[in-house]
Structure formats: C-alpha cells, structure tokens
C-alpha cells in the first residue's frame, strides 16, 4: 500500500495539470462552464490524497490503522469515479467529436491507472473498475443520444476491444515488472557473491602473504648476515645471489599484495612533506649502475625547474618511477633512456610530469590497450626472457591515479622505442624542522614475540647488526610472563599468533600493572593496510613494521619510539 501510494503521489501533479487543461479545452471549445466545478471537486480529492500520503510517510506504523487507512485504500476508486464522470456528458453531447473525446478521456485514464498502480493489484482494480463501468455505460448513452445512428451499436465492440487491450497491457506490464524485480534480485545476489569472493580472495592473499613473508624474512636476513661475516669472495657472491633471489620474491609478493589492495579499494596514499628533488635524485641514482651494466646512457632533463619541498606520498612516487625505469631498462638493448622532469603550477600545488623515453623494442599499436591488463605479458618472448608478474604497470597507473594523476604510453611501433608519461598532483609546502640526531640503540633491551622460530631468528639476526641482543618469546602467554618479570625498552610484537594474538597480548599488557605497562610496542605484521594499523593502534601499539623485515625500517621505528616515548593517558 505504501509503495502504491508513493507511485500515485509522484503522479498527482501530472493529473492536476491534465485536469486543468481538460477544463480549459471544454470551456473554450464546447462552452461547458460547469466543467470547473468538476475540476474543483477532483482537485480537492487529489489534495486530500496527497495529505494522506504525507501523514503516512511521517508515521507509517501509526497511520495504517483506522479511518486513514481505509481512506487511503478507497481514494484510487473515488478519484477514478470523479475523473471518469466527465466522460458521460461527453458521450451524451451532440457536439461533433465530443463522444470521441469522452472515449479518449477514459482510455487515457485507464492506461494511467495501469501504469501508476501496477505494483498493487487491489489499488489497480479499485481505480480501474469505475472507468470500466463508465465504458460499459457509454454505448447506452450513445444509443439514447443518437437513436437513429447505426454506428452507435458498434460502440460495444470498441468498448470491449479497449477493455481487453488494457487488460492485456496490464498483464504484460506486470510480467515485465516481475521480470525486472527478478533480474534485480539476481544482480544483487551476484553482487553479494562477488563481494564474498573478493573478501575470500583478500583473506587468502593475506594468509599466503603472511606465510610467505616468514621464509623471505629469513632468506634476506640470513643472506645479509652471511655476506657481512664470510671472508671468501666466492661465498660473498653466493650470499648476494641468495639476497637477490629473496629480493625478487619480495617484489613479486609486494606486487600481489598491492594489486589485491587496489582491487579491494583499500590502498591509500599519504600527504607528507618531502624533498622532491632529493627523492627523484636518489631514485635515479640507484638505476645508474644497472644502466651502465647494459651499456646504455641515462639522461636527465628539467630537474632544475622542479620545486624543492612538496607534500605527497614519496614512497609511492618512487615505487612508480622505479617500475617505469625498470621496464625501460629491461626492454632497451642499445641507445639511451631519457627522463624528462617538469612541474606546472596548478592552484596551490603542482602537477608533476615525468617522462621516461627509451630506444628499445617499442610496442605494437594493437598491443597498447593490453598494456594495463593484469597478469598479461605482451608476448611469450617477454615472459621467457624477462619474467615478471604483469602487474607492475597496472599497479603504477592505479597508484598514479590515487595521487591525482595518471600514466599514458605512446609508441610508434616495433623498434622505435616507447614513451611513458607519469603525472602526479603534489601540494606546495615548507621544509619540515630538522630532526635531532638519533642516539645509538646498541644495548637496548628488546623482547621479540613471534610464534614462528624462523621469524624470531630472522629478527634476531637483524637486531644483532644494530648491537642489540634480543630476548625471544614464542607466544603471547610467554611474552606476558617475561614482561612481568623484568623491564624492556621495546617490544616487537607479531600481530597474528595462535592462542593469544599480538593485539590481545598488548591489551593485557596495557591493562595490568607491571614494569612494562608503558613500554613501546611495535607491531610486526605482513598485513600493513591502514585498517590493520588502526586496529593495532587501538590495541595500544605505538608503531609498526612490515614483514619481511626491512632493516632500515626497523631501525627507524626503534629509534623513533626510543627517542619519542609515547605519552599514555589511560590503559588501552
């Protein structure tokens, strides 16, 4: 009833406009002055129905009882009786075409009833029956008004044909609406299934990433320790090979995680001050040995015209630029790679434009649309020679769009190189205050909590290079025992552990008195999304580092929490 009333409510102004138009036409062309009384009665009925609907919308539970509910139920029939009554004098009129106008009036009213009230069959019947009755009366009136007209008897056929046609139209419309509802329900079901599939895939990727990061952490930490300790040159080469392989595994894993986050809409970019010139110079400097090893030339243009301090996401900008440079070097056998840098003032910020032009193999015009297709390599030869996941450019373009820009690619064909153009939006800002030099963390008392022995050993190897000999705990329960027995400067806490997880352990630590109640806790996790970090912070953790452990990131986190102890107002 509410749905039908809403449909009629949306049609009321059209009906009132039609009523006034009919009254004007009949008054002017037929001289029916009394038609204004009919129009006034019909308008009052429409306004009363409008008032009923507004009351219903304000309080539907209280309104659908008593006389208001009955009034709302019978109003379609009442308005049809009033509106269709005008057809009777038209059928009885001797004015030329007046009966035709009466028939058109009832036919139009019937179609309007079917369209507006089709969602509720009782409302459709209530509004349609008066018009049908008027149509059945019309042949009698026509015969009485024109007793000598043979065609008056044919009105029966016209009336019956009209009623049948409208009935068929009503059934067809009802079936179409049911099919539409079924299609919507199916689409909603498929959308729900797709969302569940995405959630399941995200959970699977998170689980796999957590499991893969554990051995990768051990590979990288062990290779770094081996490289620094063994004196033989051949052993160092082997250690470097292990480190390079581990780095490749980490890159592929990061690509998969970034793509999963982008697909799920969970990727975010930050707006923090950084030295744009220094960030780009550091990134380009890293690639010079690789360029020289292939006998290529790397040329930089336009660096002097860049602003110095900007606000944006330096890490993601360098990630995208690294990917563009990697592709250019990978597919260029001879010649040079030119990086053009430019910044255009836009409002209170800048649009940074970076072009990477190579003299490599180029791209076929028909292959350009596939360049940003996930997991798609252009040719089988590319897969055999260079490998890769086929995600680099896809991730780079999505990151560029998150930073307010885009990536476009142009190539004139095979053997004629390619040009990739990256645009990024950055804000103008001032240089941040210079931070004081961090004290050495050698000798710091650190508790490492992780359920996996390989992970504990990997973190221990990294900490030993900083002059730190950590205490190891294999579970949250064991960690609470150690934390209750002696003071620690920092706790490195794995987030996901069987039994007592890292967040639960931290909540217990913050909620109970003890020597480490206010000790800084750094979350160590493979899930480094903003949502995960918010959950860690809510549990009482103070910082986080991602697996596999990056020694520089871990050192920076330790220095930060030791130099700037977090202030606590209450237990988490």
């Amino acid at each position: 009833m509410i749905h039908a009333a809403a449909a009629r409510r949306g049609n009321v102004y059209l009906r009132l406009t039609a009523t006034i138009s009919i009254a004007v036409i009949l008054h002017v062309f037929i001289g029916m002055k009394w038609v204004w009384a009919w129009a006034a009665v019909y308008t009052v009925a429409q306004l009363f129905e409008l008032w009923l609907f507004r009351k219903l919308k304000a309080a539907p539970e209280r309104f659908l009882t008593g006389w208001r509910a009955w009034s709302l139920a019978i109003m379609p029939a009442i308005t049809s009786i009033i509106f269709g009554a005008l057809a009777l004098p038209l059928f009885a009129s001797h004015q030329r075409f007046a009966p035709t106008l009466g028939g058109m009036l009832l036919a139009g009213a019937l179609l309007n009833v079917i369209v507006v009230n089709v969602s509720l069959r009782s409302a459709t019947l209530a509004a349609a029956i008066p018009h049908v009755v008027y149509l059945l009366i019309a042949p009698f009136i026509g015969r009485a008004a024109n007793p000598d007209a043979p065609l008056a008897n044919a009105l029966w056929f016209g009336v019956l044909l009209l009623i049948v046609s409208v009935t068929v139209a009503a059934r067809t419309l009802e079936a179409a609406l049911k099919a539409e509802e079924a299609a919507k329900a199916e689409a909603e079901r498929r959308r729900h299934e797709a969302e569940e599939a995405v959630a399941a895939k995200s959970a699977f990727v998170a689980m796999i990433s957590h499991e893969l990061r554990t051995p990768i952490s051990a590979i990288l930490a062990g290779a770094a320790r081996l490289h620094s300790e063994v004196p033989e040159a051949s052993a160092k080469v082997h250690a470097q090979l292990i480190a390079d392989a581990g780095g490749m595994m980490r890159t592929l894993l990061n690509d998969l995680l970034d793509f999963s986050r982008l697909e799920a809409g969970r990727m975010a970019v930050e707006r923090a001050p950084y030295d744009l010139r220094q960030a780009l110079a550091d990134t380009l400097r890293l690639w010079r040995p690789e360029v020289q090893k292939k006998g290529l030339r790397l040329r930089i243009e336009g660096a002097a015209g860049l602003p110095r301090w900007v606000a944006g996401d330096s890490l993601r900008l360098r990630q995208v630029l690294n990917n563009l440079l990697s592709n250019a070097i990978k597919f260029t056998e001879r010649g040079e790679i030119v990086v053009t840098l430019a910044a255009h003032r836009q409002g209170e910020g800048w649009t940074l434009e970076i072009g990477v032009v190579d003299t490599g193999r180029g791209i076929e015009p028909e292959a350009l649309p596939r360049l940003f297709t996930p997991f798609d390599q252009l040719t089988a030869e590319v897969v055999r020679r260079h490998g890769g996941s086929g995600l680099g450019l896809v991730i780079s373009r999505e990151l560029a769009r998150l930073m307010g820009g885009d990536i476009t690619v142009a190539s004139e064909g095979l053997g004629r190189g390619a040009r990739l153009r990256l645009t990024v939006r950055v804000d103008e800002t001032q240089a941040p205050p210079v931070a004081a030099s961090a004290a050495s963390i050698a000798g710091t008392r650190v508790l490492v909590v992780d359920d996996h022995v390989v992970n504990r050993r990997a973190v221990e190897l990294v900490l030993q290079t900083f002059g730190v000999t950590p205490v190891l705990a294999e579970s949250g329960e064991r960690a609470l025992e150690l934390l209750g027995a002696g003071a620690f400067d920092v706790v490195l806490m794995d987030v996901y552990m069987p039994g007592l997880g890292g967040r639960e352990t931290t909540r217990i630590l913050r909620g109970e008195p003890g020597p480490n109640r206010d000790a800084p806790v750094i979350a160590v996790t493979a899930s480094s999304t903003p949502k995960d970090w918010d959950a860690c912070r809510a549990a009482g953790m103070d910082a986080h580092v991602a697996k596999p452990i990056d020694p520089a990131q871990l050192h920076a986190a330790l220095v930060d929490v030791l130099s700037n102890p977090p202030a606590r107002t209450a237990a988490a």
Side-chain angles (χ1 to χ4, degrees):
M1 183 181 290
I2 294 174
H3 188 67
R8 289 179 59 80
R9 158 70 177 81
N11 198 249
V12 65
Y13 297 108
L14 176 63
R15 292 199 296 271
L16 290 176
T17 301
T19 300
I20 295 172
S21 301
I22 292 170
V24 169
I25 291 172
L26 294 180
H27 184 183
V28 172
F29 294 101
I30 302 182
M32 296 173 58
K33 297 181 179 179
W34 59 267
V35 75
W36 291 106
W38 166 83
V41 173
Y42 185 73
T43 300
V44 169
Q46 288 291 328
L47 294 177
F48 178 69
E49 187 177 11
L50 184 62
W51 176 82
L52 288 174
F53 176 75
R54 287 179 176 173
K55 291 293 184 181
L56 169 66
K57 188 176 180 181
E61 296 84 2
R62 184 171 59 88
F63 187 85
L64 288 175
T65 57
W67 67 271
R68 293 184 182 87
W70 283 105
S71 299
L72 193 65
I74 65 173
M75 281 309 297
I78 293 175
T79 55
S80 293
I81 291 171
I82 298 172
F83 186 85
L86 182 63
L88 298 181
L90 291 175
F91 279 119
S93 174
H94 294 285
Q95 292 281 349
R96 193 176 183 184
F97 301 123
T100 303
L101 186 59
M104 293 173 63
L105 191 76
L106 289 177
L110 261 178
L111 289 174
N112 181 265
V113 165
I114 298 303
V115 172
V116 173
N117 299 285
V118 70
S119 58
L120 186 63
R121 183 168 294 182
S122 60
T124 303
L125 292 174
I129 286 174
H131 296 309
V132 173
V133 172
Y134 287 138
L135 283 171
L136 294 175
I137 295 174
F140 293 105
I141 297 176
R143 183 68 178 170
N146 302 277
D148 299 326
L151 198 59
N153 294 323
L155 282 175
W156 284 106
F157 176 76
V159 166
L160 293 176
L161 182 62
L162 178 60
I163 292 173
V164 170
S165 300
V166 171
T167 302
V168 171
R171 296 294 299 273
T172 304
L173 181 59
E174 184 178 8
L177 289 176
K178 286 182 178 179
E180 182 183 6
E181 288 296 324
K184 286 181 178 179
E186 178 66 14
E188 181 64 22
R189 184 183 66 81
R190 290 183 178 273
R191 184 186 67 82
H192 184 66
E193 289 178 352
E195 289 177 349
E196 287 185 338
V198 170
K201 186 183 73 172
S202 298
F204 174 76
V205 169
M207 183 270 293
I208 290 296
S209 68
H210 186 272
E211 295 302 317
L212 288 177
R213 284 179 185 272
T214 294
I216 292 175
S217 296
I219 291 170
L220 293 174
R225 183 68 176 270
L226 185 63
H227 188 277
S228 65
E229 289 184 350
V230 295
E232 298 86 359
S234 60
K236 287 185 179 292
V237 170
H238 294 155
Q240 188 60 49
L241 179 62
I242 296 171
D244 291 343
M248 290 175 62
M249 292 171 64
R250 180 171 60 184
T251 300
L252 288 171
L253 179 59
N254 288 337
D255 281 350
L256 288 172
L257 288 173
D258 283 345
F259 180 70
S260 177
R261 290 170 193 158
L262 286 166
E263 198 176 37
R266 295 177 180 174
M267 180 69 79
V269 294
E270 65 175 12
R271 311 296 292 181
Y274 68 95
D275 188 335
L276 176 61
R277 294 186 189 179
Q278 189 64 49
L280 294 177
D282 291 342
T283 304
L284 293 168
R285 190 181 301 114
L286 289 174
W287 288 99
R288 285 196 180 277
E290 188 73 20
V291 171
Q292 293 170 358
K293 187 164 61 175
K294 290 194 68 173
L296 305 175
R297 198 158 60 100
L298 178 62
R299 187 155 50 93
I300 316 298
E301 298 178 353
L306 297 179
R308 185 70 182 261
W309 287 96
V310 297
D313 197 323
S314 171
L315 177 65
R316 294 303 181 185
L317 174 62
R318 294 174 69 166
Q319 178 182 348
V320 174
L321 182 55
N322 277 329
N323 189 271
L324 300 186
L325 288 169
S326 174
N327 277 347
I329 296 170
K330 183 191 303 182
F331 295 111
T332 304
E333 299 299 330
R334 63 179 63 88
E336 66 176 4
I337 295 167
V338 181
V339 178
T340 60
L341 305 171
H344 309 287
R345 171 71 72 175
Q346 188 174 9
E348 297 182 357
W350 300 84
T351 294
L352 175 65
E353 182 178 322
I354 302 176
V356 179
V357 184
D358 63 62
T359 56
R361 65 185 299 275
I363 307 170
E364 302 91 332
E366 59 272 15
L368 283 173
R370 294 170 41 213
L371 207 58
F372 296 100
T373 302
F375 304 106
D376 188 9
Q377 300 281 27
L378 295 184
T379 64
E381 180 189 359
V382 171
V383 178
R384 287 194 304 270
R385 291 190 58 188
H386 304 289
S389 62
L391 291 175
L393 280 179
V394 179
I395 294 170
S396 297
R397 185 174 67 170
E398 293 305 314
L399 288 175
R401 289 176 175 176
L402 285 175
M403 292 186 286
D406 204 349
I407 293 179
T408 56
V409 183
S411 177
E412 296 181 4
L414 286 177
R416 309 190 67 175
R419 176 185 178 88
L420 287 90
R421 177 176 173 270
L422 164 67
T423 58
V424 171
R425 169 75 182 177
V426 293
D427 298 326
E428 191 170 25
T429 188
Q430 300 296 321
V434 179
S437 298
S440 171
I441 62 172
T444 301
R445 188 165 166 77
V446 177
L447 175 64
V448 176
V449 187
D450 199 297
D451 63 295
H452 204 295
V453 63
V454 174
N455 253 359
R456 294 196 301 274
R457 180 60 180 149
V459 176
E460 182 182 28
L461 288 174
V462 174
L463 290 174
Q464 286 175 352
T465 63
F466 305 151
V468 176
T469 302
V471 177
L472 307 180
E474 71 279 3
S475 65
E477 293 83 355
R478 177 57 179 160
L480 291 175
E481 291 178 11
L482 293 171
L483 289 166
F488 288 88
D489 298 311
V490 182
V491 180
L492 294 178
M493 184 77 72
D494 186 23
V495 174
Y496 297 102
M497 296 184 291
L500 203 59
R503 294 183 188 128
E504 292 77 10
T505 303
T506 305
R507 288 193 185 96
I508 295 172
L509 174 66
R510 301 295 186 219
E512 295 180 353
N516 297 289
R517 180 176 182 176
D518 296 327
V521 176
I522 299 177
V524 183
T525 175
S527 301
S528 55
T529 64
K531 182 179 179 181
D532 291 320
W533 169 227
D534 288 342
C536 291
R537 186 162 43 197
M541 296 179 172
D542 305 295
H544 71 289
V545 293
K547 295 179 182 179
I549 297 295
D550 182 341
Q553 184 188 17
L554 178 58
H555 187 276
L558 288 169
V559 169
D560 184 55
V561 296
L562 290 170
S563 303
N564 306 288
R568 306 200 188 282
T569 56

